């Protein structure tokens, strides 16, 4: 992994991305920390042209986005248009909205919709990925829902955006899953997992938790991962401090 492949998702900084003025200030801080790319997610309304200028002014690129779950399934053409304006080649289905993985008809319909959307996006030069949470680790006929999703959709039309925290939370092994998804995970969410003395599970900065990131990154690198994206859903204080702690740990311990 090269430092130029390390990005941060703006969802972590969502409270500071509500207006165009907020976004401009946030991108400056992100750039000052050392990041060179962001995943656009959780930001307020802003024209693509304005966002492109802000990114360029701060030496940043948009490596990927998260788009509305329903929009991806029902109106992929709109998503394609948005990403083309951002000069962005990757997006991810962010959350299984309205899906009950205990119901076969729910995840079967999801797979079919993602396959169709991914086919349209692939034709436009865009890669659709799937961002998992813990819900996808429910078992159905001896397999997890996440396995069924990736088996049911073509790799040509659906790639992975594994989230290391949620894999661990769901009972999976992040290293094993990254290896399992070798060649199919262009995006990887680096998110650390901390357990308190009371047994509470918390999000934390990279390097401050229990996950084996040297092994995770090595496996992802060998599997062709393009972007290693820092995410922390909840921060203990200033999220800019948290993303700097994560960046510094990655720079000092994980990059080659």
């Amino acid at each position: 992994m090269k430092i130029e492949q390390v990005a941060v998702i703006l969802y972590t900084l969502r409270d500071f991305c509500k207006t165009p003025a907020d976004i401009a200030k946030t991108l400056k801080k992100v750039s000052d920390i050392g990041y060179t790319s962001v995943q656009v997610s959780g930001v307020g309304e802003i024209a693509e042209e304005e966002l492109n200028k802000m990114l360029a002014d701060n030496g940043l690129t948009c490596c990927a986005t998260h788009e509305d779950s329903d929009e991806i399934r029902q109106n992929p053409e709109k998503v394609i248009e948005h990403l083309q304006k951002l000069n962005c080649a990757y997006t991810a289905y962010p959350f299984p909205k309205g899906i009950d993985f205990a119901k076969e008809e729910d995840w079967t319909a999801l797979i079919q919709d993602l396959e169709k959307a991914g086919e349209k996006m692939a034709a436009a030069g865009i890669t659709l990925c799937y961002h998992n949470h813990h819900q996808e680790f429910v078992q159905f006929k001896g397999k997890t829902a996440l396995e069924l999703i990736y088996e049911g959709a073509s790799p040509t039309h659906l790639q992975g955006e594994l989230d290391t925290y949620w894999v661990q939370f769901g009972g999976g092994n992040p290293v094993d899953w990254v290896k399992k998804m070798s060649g199919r995970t262009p995006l990887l969410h680096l998110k650390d997992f901390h357990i308190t003395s009371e047994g509470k599970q918390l999000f934390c900065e990279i390097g401050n938790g229990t996950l084996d990131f040297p092994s995770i990154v090595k496996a992802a690198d060998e599997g062709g991962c393009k972007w290693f994206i820092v995410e922390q859903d909840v921060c203990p204080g200033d999220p800019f401090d948290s993303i700097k702690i994560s960046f510094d740990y990655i720079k000092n311990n994980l990059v080659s």
Side-chain angles (χ1 to χ4, degrees):
M1 175 178 68
K2 305 298 183 184
I3 195 64
E4 294 81 11
Q5 292 176 275
V6 179
V8 64
I9 187 169
L10 294 180
Y11 178 79
T12 299
L13 308 168
R14 58 195 178 278
D15 291 339
F16 302 88
C17 292
K18 295 180 178 179
T19 69
D22 291 339
I23 295 170
K25 292 176 184 177
T26 291
L27 293 179
K28 174 67 164 59
K29 290 182 178 181
V30 166
S31 178
D32 287 346
I33 289 169
Y35 291 97
T36 57
S37 192
V38 298
Q39 181 173 21
V40 175
S41 172
V43 304
E45 187 173 346
I46 184 171
E48 291 93 350
E49 295 79 8
E50 187 175 7
L51 180 56
N52 285 340
K53 185 177 186 307
M54 290 180 185
L55 290 167
D57 287 346
N58 289 286
L60 298 168
T61 62
C62 174
C63 66
T65 73
H66 273 178
E67 302 297 327
D68 179 77
S69 300
D70 289 339
E71 200 82 79
I72 288 173
R73 295 181 68 179
Q74 299 168 13
N75 193 7
E77 293 83 4
K78 185 176 179 181
V79 175
I80 291 169
E81 181 181 3
H82 175 57
L83 265 76
Q84 288 177 334
K85 289 180 179 179
L86 289 176
N87 301 310
C88 180
Y90 295 96
T91 191
Y93 178 83
F95 185 79
K97 182 179 176 183
I99 302 297
D100 181 351
F101 285 110
K103 297 179 179 178
E104 184 174 5
E105 61 269 24
D106 274 23
W107 54 259
T108 299
L110 174 62
I111 291 170
Q112 291 172 346
D113 287 349
L114 292 175
E115 175 74 19
K116 292 175 184 176
E119 183 177 12
K120 291 179 179 179
M121 291 184 193
I126 293 167
T127 300
L128 175 63
C129 301
Y130 188 95
H131 175 257
N132 67 275
H133 291 77
H134 66 286
Q135 292 96 323
E136 292 89 349
F137 287 87
V138 299
Q139 294 281 327
F140 189 87
K141 296 183 179 179
K143 293 185 177 182
T144 66
L146 193 58
E147 289 174 302
L148 293 168
I149 288 169
Y150 287 125
E151 289 176 7
S154 164
T156 306
H157 301 146
L158 187 69
Q159 296 275 299
E161 183 183 57
L162 288 174
D163 185 298
T164 57
Y165 177 96
W166 290 119
V167 170
Q168 180 76 18
F169 191 97
N173 182 305
V175 178
D176 290 347
W177 263 94
V178 170
K179 289 179 178 179
K180 182 198 294 279
M181 292 290 291
S182 179
R184 199 175 176 178
T185 307
L187 311 178
L188 180 66
H189 272 190
L190 303 182
K191 187 187 300 183
D192 214 341
F193 183 96
H194 176 68
I195 300 179
T196 68
S197 57
E198 295 81 21
K200 186 176 182 181
Q201 299 160 337
L202 300 174
F203 305 101
C204 67
E205 296 78 12
I206 308 302
N208 286 349
T210 63
L211 298 191
D212 181 4
F213 278 105
S215 296
I216 290 170
V217 168
K218 181 176 184 294
D221 228 3
E222 291 173 350
C225 183
K226 304 295 184 185
W227 292 102
F228 298 79
I229 304 166
V230 171
E231 182 176 29
Q232 190 168 337
D233 298 34
V234 179
C235 302
D238 187 336
F240 292 100
D241 291 339
S242 289
I243 68 167
K244 185 179 189 306
I245 291 169
S246 292
F247 182 84
D248 290 345
Y249 175 84
I250 292 168
K251 183 177 180 180
N252 294 328
N253 297 279
L254 299 179
V255 300
S256 56

